[in-house]
Amino acid sequence: MSDTEKEPLLLVNPATDLTPEETENPPEPDPQTENVDPPVSTQPDKAQTLPRTSRQLSFSFQERARTLPSRQTSDEKTRILDQSFGGTTCYGTSAPDAHHRGNYNVENLGTIQSGFKKRIGKRCRNPKHRHMSLSTHHGPDDPRSYLSSNYESLNYDTVENDLTLQSETKREYKRFSSTSFNRWLVCFLIGVFTACTAVVVDIGIERLSEVKLDLVRKYMLKCLNKDVCSVLMPWLVWAGLNIAFCVVASILIAFIEPVAAGSGIPEIKCYLNGVKIPRVVRIKTLLCKVTGIIAAVSGGLACGKEGPMIHSGAVVAAGVSQGRSTTFACDCKVFKEFRCDHVKRDFIACGAAAGVAAAFGAPIGGVLFALEEGASFWNQSLTWRIFFSSLVSSFFLNTILSTYKGSPGDLSNPGLANFGLFEISNYEWYELIIFIIMGVVGGLLGALFNYINIQLSLFRQRHMKYRILKVFEVVVVAFTTTAVGFCAMYFVEDCTYAQVKDTELYNLQMQCDSGQYNSLATLFLQSPESTVKDLLHSPIDKFSWKSLLTFSIIYYCMSVWTYGLAVASGLFMPSLLTGAAYGRLIGVLLHYISSVTISEPGIYALIGAASFLGGVTRMTISLTVIIMEATRNITFGLPIMMTLVTARFVGNYFNEGLYDEHINLKQVPMLPWDPPVKSFRLTAGNIKSTPVKCFKAIESVETVVRMLKRTTHNGFPVVTQVPTDPDAKHFGQFMGLITREQLILLLIKRVYFNESTMNVYGDIAVDDFRDMYPRYPDIEEVDIPQEHMKMKIDLRQFINLSPYTCNESVSFARLFNLFRSMGLRHLVIVNENNKAVGIVTRKDLAKFRKWRKQGSSGVQQLGIVSEDGNLDDETECCQGHS
């Protein structure tokens, strides 16, 4: 590749644009603060040996730049290319790519830091914006500046080839009716098994918590009243039991199934978006998730069981819909027609919604949650099935828990988190202003929560790499939570006279007089669900402002520290609990200082809970409906919605929602709802990967095996004739697309023929693909006799005859929307003669990401790292690798 073929790929500074005068006469860089351009190399091949880091795209005037002499200074090229933007141009480090067109120029080399290649590029030439990032908004050693090449995409597009079309043609009407009935049956079973899972979690936590708190209460009464032991004795009992439970929860995650950590909502969002997260929907993951959340909540950590129920419902849906378990090597030989990515995705959406319904008793909220947070594809029939699964889940959970509690048929337990009924739900019009202010406070607190948690997560990624360290951190957090809570109960005197309806188990006298109990101890020792209900419905004088302030601060800090530990933990309940505490505090203070009519403090607790949870997660519609269904009161719809919208707007000014931030931390190539707003100048020709690895319609077994072993691509265009010229601008007349999994199965079944005798060795059917799904063997595991290597494979009846294709001139936004809405894995780029010229995958789109902070926004380009943490030169551009 000659120097004249290289062109610098440049990125517009997204914050502001230069004036026309600044464009024509860009300010000279300060040699004291700017990196100096390296001299133009006279060795054209030297750059090809350098590792590629970030690259930045120019969108026009490329032909004019190519005509410049090879020794033209980079400043002169930059000034010409900068005219295409009318704004500030930034340099980045890049290198030629054998798969791309060679539009890159090396500026600087990277250095290894914290497991990533730290990219050191030049600042923007405009002195006003020298603080701007080159091509990534985060620092070069921040994992959020990269995408991982370890994630593969799911293929939600249906394959139409001769084999599948013949199979569908032979199906009778009864088979179609049977498939429709089976869909509804699977949705019913998803709701039932999700409800059963929720019952196991709820009863397990209740039983373990009763045993633990009964022991603590016994020792506390014994040591405080009879003076026969130290006051530290009940604390040691409490701490010992908490640590024991938390160690069990952590071992399950750190040593057995790491993907079961956290709430699982980010992973399910990624799966529904089209990214295959390894082991996320396995039965083993479900067992570790359920057991871990029971142990973690019983161990007193600041976490909830509601979030993990969404992940649990998704795993249940994945297992039921496939009719088998690969973990236990059990195949029930049912529901084979559902063994493909796009149908499995729909059922997982049903499972996630059923999990929300089981957690909060909110079937409609579950449907909206699946729509707002997860599903990339939606239609009317899917809406009905998701709603049906949610209703079944809520009903069966209600029935089983009511029977367990001795009131069969009462149906007063629609979900695990029941907020209770408000006796008084009136509010004045001027209180809407207060609610909006609380939304601002919730957005600020949520943004701070996210920032601190992300910094802790970055610290864990860099320094907590050993499993035993992860378990040790959980022990430290459990010990600290117990110690801080006990000290708060002991030193904050908030004595309240016991009421007949108060639960005796949690009423601890502490330093209070006879007939009184410490209300702060009640907040710490109750289950999180009972504490939320207490904050929403208790009389105004039950909790003093000191107790509410102390509890909200402690629980806020412990929740920040807990989320992200190596345990199964939910975020919903800690956020609701923290917000309810500070909301009730505001309501109590307003009652004492206000001269106008103010609603009950419980209403302010509800608004506070909504504002803080909205500030952390940035959910709006689904969260509004979930809270309304949990309280069974539609009156609060308007103030809750106003509060959530305000919290979301304020929080987004500083950072993203916590789930999205953790997705970025895991370097998942997830596609957001909309393309970056300033990416309209990008086209398919700018981002396509090339050269394309293609197959002929009739290919030799040896060629197929060699290609599969030498590449990691998952999609291969099939063309009439593969060009032999390495500099060819196209790669043959496009016929269709075939995947790696299809090729491997063809080799396993020996569907090839002897060219001389035309005898076909093996046969294959559609059910063979379904039986192998989703764990196809690796090409190294396929044993092919040497004498078969000269055989031929006819790919024409197996290729996807109607895959989505587009022209090079198609805009980035249209490409993005096509991938996002149709759930594509590969998109072949063709020229006006329908000849393949490139291919686009998810990573080619996902690496262009919008950044937004403190009112500024723009487009950043992410690098792609391999499993060892180095920038991966091949996977960043390889076709079909996603």
Side-chain angles (χ1 to χ4, degrees):
M1 186 179 300
S2 65
D3 282 347
T4 57
E5 294 175 327
K6 304 175 188 174
E7 59 186 22
L9 298 181
L10 308 174
L11 181 69
V12 174
N13 187 321
T16 57
D17 293 336
L18 284 175
T19 62
E21 292 77 16
E22 291 174 316
T23 303
E24 295 298 330
N25 301 292
E28 293 296 329
D30 186 356
Q32 300 298 324
T33 58
E34 289 280 351
N35 295 328
V36 181
D37 278 347
V40 177
S41 174
T42 58
Q43 302 177 9
D45 294 330
K46 182 179 179 180
Q48 302 183 23
T49 66
L50 301 176
R52 185 189 57 216
T53 53
S54 61
R55 64 167 58 98
Q56 300 164 327
L57 293 171
S58 59
F59 311 109
S60 59
F61 287 85
Q62 293 181 356
E63 295 298 329
R64 184 179 176 187
R66 286 198 191 97
T67 61
L68 294 174
S70 60
R71 292 182 177 271
Q72 190 81 23
T73 65
S74 60
D75 283 349
E76 292 171 337
K77 284 189 177 183
T78 299
R79 185 170 61 254
I80 293 175
L81 291 169
D82 190 33
Q83 296 174 12
S84 65
F85 297 104
T88 305
T89 308
C90 298
Y91 285 104
T93 60
S94 54
D97 187 347
H99 295 274
H100 282 269
R101 295 175 299 169
N103 301 332
Y104 316 118
N105 181 32
V106 175
E107 297 286 350
N108 289 295
L109 298 179
T111 58
I112 304 296
Q113 178 173 339
S114 303
F116 298 97
K117 283 196 173 181
K118 184 177 181 181
R119 298 179 290 175
I120 306 176
K122 296 185 178 180
R123 297 285 183 179
C124 297
R125 289 189 172 273
N126 189 343
K128 299 178 181 179
H129 304 289
R130 287 176 181 171
H131 66 284
M132 298 299 292
S133 173
L134 294 176
S135 59
T136 56
H137 182 60
H138 302 289
D141 59 340
D142 193 318
R144 290 172 292 178
S145 299
Y146 306 88
L147 296 178
S148 174
S149 63
N150 301 325
Y151 295 106
E152 294 184 359
S153 295
L154 297 164
N155 190 11
Y156 292 157
D157 184 29
T158 56
V159 176
E160 292 185 355
N161 54 30
D162 291 344
L163 189 66
T164 58
L165 292 177
Q166 291 173 9
S167 175
E168 291 296 317
T169 303
K170 294 178 181 179
R171 292 179 64 185
E172 299 178 355
Y173 178 77
K174 292 182 179 180
R175 292 288 302 276
F176 286 101
S177 301
S178 175
T179 299
S180 178
F181 174 80
N182 287 341
R183 288 181 188 274
W184 289 100
L185 177 60
V186 169
C187 292
F188 176 81
L189 294 176
I190 289 171
V192 172
F193 286 113
T194 301
C196 293
T197 304
V199 169
V200 171
V201 171
D202 189 56
I203 295 177
I205 292 175
E206 180 183 347
R207 289 301 187 186
L208 289 179
S209 299
E210 285 180 359
V211 172
K212 181 188 72 172
L213 295 175
D214 193 27
L215 284 173
V216 173
R217 185 171 179 272
K218 182 177 70 174
Y219 276 97
M220 195 167 288
L221 292 174
K222 178 180 177 181
C223 297
L224 290 177
N225 295 338
K226 296 184 179 180
D227 198 22
V228 294
C229 60
S230 171
V231 73
L232 293 178
M233 188 62 187
W235 174 76
L236 291 175
V237 173
W238 189 17
L241 291 173
N242 283 348
I243 290 174
F245 289 143
C246 293
V247 167
V248 172
S250 181
I251 289 176
L252 289 171
I253 304 303
F255 290 92
I256 299 179
E257 194 53 83
V259 77
S263 65
I265 294 178
E267 289 79 6
I268 297 304
K269 287 184 63 174
C270 293
Y271 193 97
L272 294 177
N273 188 262
V275 182
K276 183 179 180 181
I277 307 296
R279 306 182 308 277
V280 72
V281 290
R282 291 189 184 178
I283 298 296
K284 181 181 176 182
T285 303
L286 176 63
L287 296 176
C288 291
K289 175 74 75 172
V290 171
T291 309
I293 195 59
I294 292 174
V297 176
S298 301
L301 291 179
C303 61
K305 58 193 175 186
E306 288 71 25
M309 279 308 308
I310 299 172
H311 186 188
S312 301
V315 179
V316 168
V320 171
S321 64
Q322 302 304 292
R324 67 177 178 181
S325 170
T326 53
T327 301
F328 298 109
C330 174
D331 192 345
C332 299
K333 305 296 182 180
V334 294
F335 307 140
K336 285 189 175 182
E337 63 269 28
F338 301 145
R339 294 178 183 177
C340 58
D341 285 342
H342 71 279
V343 178
K344 187 177 180 180
R345 169 204 59 188
D346 293 346
F347 286 124
I348 288 179
C350 293
V356 174
F360 296 99
I364 300 176
V367 176
L368 293 176
F369 176 85
L371 174 61
E372 182 179 6
E373 292 296 315
S376 57
F377 173 78
W378 204 263
N379 59 30
Q380 185 180 19
S381 60
L382 180 60
T383 304
W384 277 110
R385 290 197 295 271
I386 290 178
F387 184 55
F388 178 68
S389 294
S390 301
L391 280 176
V392 171
S393 176
S394 182
F395 174 77
F396 271 85
L397 176 70
N398 203 339
T399 302
I400 297 173
L401 287 182
S402 298
T403 304
Y404 168 75
K405 295 179 180 180
S407 303
D410 185 19
L411 302 183
S412 58
N413 302 278
L416 301 181
N418 185 3
F419 295 163
L421 294 174
F422 280 86
E423 297 179 1
I424 301 176
S425 57
N426 298 328
Y427 55 89
E428 302 294 336
W429 65 268
Y430 48 79
E431 290 183 285
L432 292 176
I433 301 175
I434 302 176
F435 297 154
I436 293 176
I437 296 175
M438 292 178 66
V440 174
V441 174
L444 294 174
L445 292 176
L448 179 62
F449 185 101
N450 294 357
Y451 174 79
I452 298 174
N453 185 265
I454 291 302
Q455 298 306 312
L456 286 172
S457 299
L458 288 171
F459 177 84
R460 291 180 181 120
Q461 285 190 4
R462 293 164 181 164
H463 304 290
M464 310 288 289
K465 298 181 179 179
Y466 298 104
R467 297 178 179 179
I468 192 64
L469 288 179
K470 297 179 181 179
V471 177
F472 177 74
E473 185 189 13
V474 173
V475 172
V476 172
V477 175
F479 178 85
T480 305
T481 302
T482 308
V484 172
F486 188 85
C487 291
M489 291 187 298
Y490 190 79
F491 291 107
V492 177
E493 296 186 12
D494 184 12
C495 298
T496 304
Y497 284 98
Q499 304 293 326
V500 177
K501 63 179 180 179
D502 288 331
T503 304
E504 191 67 26
L505 178 64
Y506 306 110
N507 292 343
L508 295 179
Q509 184 177 347
M510 301 296 286
Q511 314 92 325
C512 300
D513 297 333
S514 179
Q516 295 181 330
Y517 68 94
N518 191 303
S519 59
L520 185 58
T522 303
L523 293 175
F524 277 106
L525 292 177
Q526 285 185 132
S527 66
E529 291 77 15
S530 299
T531 303
V532 169
K533 191 180 296 186
D534 234 0
L535 292 170
L536 295 180
H537 303 288
S538 294
I540 187 173
D541 57 346
K542 182 170 183 178
F543 303 106
S544 68
W545 68 269
K546 292 186 297 182
S547 294
L548 294 172
L549 180 61
T550 302
F551 179 79
S552 59
I553 293 175
I554 292 176
Y555 218 80
Y556 182 94
C557 296
M558 300 315 302
S559 299
V560 171
W561 196 2
T562 301
Y563 192 78
L565 291 176
V567 294
S569 60
L571 183 65
F572 277 93
M573 193 50 62
S575 300
L576 289 172
L577 194 51
T578 304
Y582 97 79
R584 185 179 179 90
L585 174 62
I586 294 175
V588 169
L589 294 178
L590 287 176
H591 263 278
Y592 287 120
I593 65 175
S594 177
S595 59
V596 298
T597 303
I598 296 296
S599 301
E600 292 294 321
I603 296 179
Y604 283 87
L606 180 66
I607 299 300
S611 69
F612 185 69
L613 181 57
V616 172
T617 64
R618 313 294 159 75
M619 296 165 55
T620 52
I621 300 175
S622 59
L623 186 54
T624 301
V625 176
I626 288 172
I627 294 177
M628 286 195 299
E629 289 186 281
T631 57
R632 287 174 276 182
N633 195 324
I634 199 174
T635 308
F636 301 123
L638 177 61
I640 290 175
M641 191 64 186
M642 293 174 62
T643 302
L644 289 175
V645 171
T646 305
R648 177 187 176 92
F649 179 80
V650 173
N652 282 343
Y653 183 80
F654 299 97
N655 48 38
E656 296 184 74
L658 191 58
Y659 295 141
D660 294 324
E661 290 283 5
H662 276 268
I663 289 173
N664 295 338
L665 275 178
K666 295 176 182 179
Q667 304 171 334
V668 180
M670 181 174 172
L671 298 179
W673 284 106
D674 300 305
V677 292
K678 297 190 178 181
S679 63
F680 57 90
R681 292 188 178 114
L682 277 169
T683 64
N686 296 128
I687 67 173
K688 72 177 187 294
S689 301
T690 185
V692 186
K693 305 298 183 183
C694 301
F695 287 118
K696 294 182 294 184
I698 299 178
E699 195 65 86
S700 67
V701 173
E702 182 180 13
T703 301
V704 173
V705 172
R706 183 173 63 250
M707 182 75 76
L708 293 178
K709 287 184 176 180
R710 290 183 178 181
T711 67
T712 57
H713 308 334
N714 282 306
F716 300 89
V718 177
V719 296
T720 54
Q721 184 65 40
V722 178
T724 57
D725 184 7
D727 297 326
K729 295 184 179 181
H730 64 80
F731 306 96
Q733 194 79 22
F734 180 67
M735 297 177 60
L737 190 72
I738 194 165
T739 63
R740 170 179 287 267
E741 292 80 7
Q742 290 175 298
L743 292 171
I744 289 177
L745 194 57
L746 293 178
L747 294 175
I748 292 175
K749 295 294 183 178
R750 300 187 178 182
V751 189
Y752 40 75
F753 63 91
N754 190 320
E755 198 170 13
S756 59
T757 63
M758 301 302 292
N759 292 329
V760 179
Y761 280 78
D763 193 13
I764 195 170
V766 173
D767 282 345
D768 293 325
F769 291 94
R770 294 169 178 169
D771 291 337
M772 196 71 68
Y773 177 84
R775 301 186 189 178
Y776 295 91
D778 189 79
I779 184 61
E780 301 294 341
E781 302 173 11
V782 180
D783 183 22
I784 301 177
Q786 186 62 36
E787 59 270 18
H788 290 181
M789 288 295 183
K790 299 301 181 182
M791 304 294 179
K792 299 290 185 178
I793 302 180
D794 189 348
L795 302 178
R796 287 174 292 186
Q797 62 175 323
F798 307 110
I799 62 175
N800 188 355
L801 299 172
S802 54
Y804 288 93
T805 61
C806 70
N807 193 273
E808 288 183 279
S809 61
V810 172
S811 67
F812 181 91
R814 185 175 291 272
L815 279 176
F816 186 97
N817 291 328
L818 189 60
F819 259 83
R820 187 66 168 80
S821 59
M822 302 307 299
L824 302 184
R825 189 175 187 179
H826 315 95
L827 186 66
V828 179
I829 309 300
V830 297
N831 60 14
E832 61 276 7
N833 298 319
N834 198 39
K835 294 184 177 181
V837 295
I839 195 167
V840 174
T841 64
R842 170 178 291 266
K843 292 188 182 71
D844 294 321
L845 300 172
K847 67 185 177 183
F848 294 97
R849 182 171 294 173
K850 177 183 178 180
W851 65 264
R852 175 177 52 200
K853 186 176 182 182
Q854 297 180 1
S856 299
S857 64
V859 181
Q860 59 177 340
Q861 183 177 359
L862 309 183
I864 299 182
V865 293
S866 58
E867 188 174 0
D868 57 4
N870 293 326
L871 281 167
D872 196 332
D873 185 63
E874 181 175 352
T875 56
E876 185 170 351
C877 62
C878 74
Q879 74 186 72
H881 189 272
S882 64

